[in-house]
Amino acid sequence: MKKKKCKICRRAGTKLFLKGDRCLSPKCAMVRRPYPPGKKGKRRPSPLSEYGRQLREKQKLKNWYNLRERQFRKYVKEVLSSHKKTSADSEEMLIKILESRLDNVVFVLGFASSRTQARQLVSHGHFLVNGRVVNIPSYQVKRGDVIALKPQSLKKNAFKDIMLKLKKQKIPSWLTLDLQKLEAKVIGEPSLKEASPPADISVIFEYYSR
């Protein structure tokens, strides 16, 4: 599984931070082998067709947020069927949906080292939303919601030295974090500019509009 994740990044040609802290170390596959996987990987890559470019950007964003194809397609189709008139509005709407997922919020707050781990931690019921356990990674948080680590979960190895990790984390402007209570509050909405995903979202809409 670890090698598979590294190949995803190498094939995309950019770091997608699928393996947490390892992606920031010299052991990262994108540092050691910054070319596509396979025997012919070191050769100059062939130019991509328009379809190939759309597919690559779609794969980048899907893997960045650790989503299955069915989930990702559902989000894109939801945006495409909305009444937003400009591509800029559509891009903002898609990122708002993806960034507002509970597993993503857990990751950007610093409770998990990767979105994969965040998804697992949420599924195991380690987080509360407004005082209630929510174990659905796709749960959409909204302004005013309070996300907290369940007190009993502090004993788990996954949260060892969590205070030190959270102190180092840069929190998005639409969230606030109370280190003493280990809880965060949604005070705004995520934006495309701040999220800065490594993909050209406009061509992703073109891919699904075919």
Side-chain angles (χ1 to χ4, degrees), residues 46-59:
S46 302
L48 285 174
S49 64
E50 185 59 27
Y51 172 80
R53 190 168 82 88
Q54 294 170 0
L55 177 62
R56 184 180 64 182
E57 297 305 303
K58 184 265 291 188
Q59 293 291 79

Side-chain angles (χ1 to χ4, degrees), residues 35-36 40-47:
Y35 49 84
K40 299 180 180 179
K42 291 185 179 181
R43 297 182 183 179
R44 181 178 296 178
S46 302

Side-chain angles (χ1 to χ4, degrees), residues 15 17 19-29 31 113 169:
K15 284 190 180 187
F17 299 95
K19 293 171 67 177
D21 294 337
R22 185 182 178 90
C23 299
L24 300 173
S25 75
K27 293 182 179 180
C28 174
V31 173
S113 61
Q169 187 74 2

Side-chain angles (χ1 to χ4, degrees), residues 94-128:
L94 179 60
I95 290 303
K96 178 182 175 182
I97 292 172
L98 296 174
E99 287 286 312
S100 296
R101 284 175 55 100
L102 180 57
D103 56 355
N104 181 73
V105 172
V106 166
F107 168 67
V108 299
L109 285 171
F111 285 104
S113 61
S114 68
R115 287 181 176 87
T116 302
Q117 184 188 34
R119 185 187 186 110
Q120 189 176 48
L121 294 175
V122 171
S123 296
H124 289 175
H126 291 300
F127 291 91
L128 308 171

